[in-house]
């Protein structure tokens, strides 16, 4: 395996490896139907500046994150970016791959004209929080979310 991380937008051919990596992020989630996964990936790619990014180490997927560029009616119309589903393969932690993914997502957001990039984490682990801070993110706002109730 090469030591250089190659980052590229995900394609449908990448879905099996990508979904296996997501299983590490949320082990209790039910598996996503392959046709539905293709549909979701295409929908993300159709949003200007948005998509699922994959980090490859040789032929192995070791990290991923999703960048969504959201149109905006404030800030002079400058969009903002949202990073979600940041995950590095458990066997490749602490090697800088996650930080590279975040820098690449930020670079893409700036290229799309975003005035800011946001992310949220549900983790309270000091190491996770320090990771995001070292990647240039600050704890500057209070985040809230609301989950859909079960049917």
């Amino acid at each position: 395996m090469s030591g250089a991380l190659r980052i590229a937008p995900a394609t449908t051919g990448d879905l099996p490896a990508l979904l296996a990596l997501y299983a590490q992020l949320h082990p209790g989630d039910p598996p996503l139907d392959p046709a539905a996964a293709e549909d979701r990936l295409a929908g993300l790619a159709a949003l200007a500046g948005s998509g699922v990014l994959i980090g490859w180490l040789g032929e192995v997927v070791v990290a991923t994150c999703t960048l969504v560029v959201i149109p905006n009616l404030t800030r002079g119309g400058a969009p903002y970016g949202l990073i979600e589903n940041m995950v590095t393969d458990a066997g490749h932690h602490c090697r800088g791959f996650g930080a590279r993914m975040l820098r690449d997502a930020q670079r893409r957001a700036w290229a799309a004209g975003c005035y800011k990039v946001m992310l949220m984490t549900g983790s309270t682990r000091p190491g996770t929080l320090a990771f995001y801070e070292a990647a240039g993110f600050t704890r500057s706002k209070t985040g809230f979310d609301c989950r859909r109730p079960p049917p």
Side-chain angles (χ1 to χ4, degrees):
M1 260 188 265
S2 166
L5 188 70
R6 179 178 53 87
I7 300 172
T11 66
T12 55
D14 302 327
L15 282 170
L18 182 62
L19 294 175
L21 190 56
Y22 284 153
Q24 293 182 34
L25 182 64
H26 299 292
D29 280 1
L32 185 59
D33 172 74
E38 286 185 25
D39 183 57
R40 302 305 188 283
L41 184 63
L44 281 164
L47 300 171
S50 303
V52 177
L53 302 174
I54 295 184
W56 294 89
L57 185 60
E59 299 300 314
V60 178
V61 172
V62 297
T64 186
C65 72
T66 299
L67 171 65
V68 180
V69 174
I70 301 168
N72 191 16
L73 292 173
T74 65
R75 303 292 181 155
Y80 56 95
L82 177 66
I83 295 174
E84 184 63 71
N85 298 326
M86 173 67 232
V87 58
T88 300
D89 177 75
H92 292 87
H93 283 184
C94 300
R95 293 174 54 187
F97 299 135
R100 285 260 336 265
M101 293 298 302
L102 290 175
R103 282 194 305 274
D104 191 80
Q106 288 170 322
R107 179 189 60 76
R108 290 169 190 264
W110 304 151
C114 292
Y115 80 95
K116 71 177 177 180
V117 178
M118 302 183 295
L119 65 78
M120 290 178 59
T121 181
S123 176
T124 58
R125 293 183 312 151
T128 301
L129 303 178
F131 163 73
Y132 287 123
E133 289 174 335
F137 290 86
T138 59
R139 289 187 254 182
S140 60
K141 295 189 177 196
T142 301
F144 295 89
D145 72 354
C146 181
R147 304 292 172 122
R148 182 179 64 187

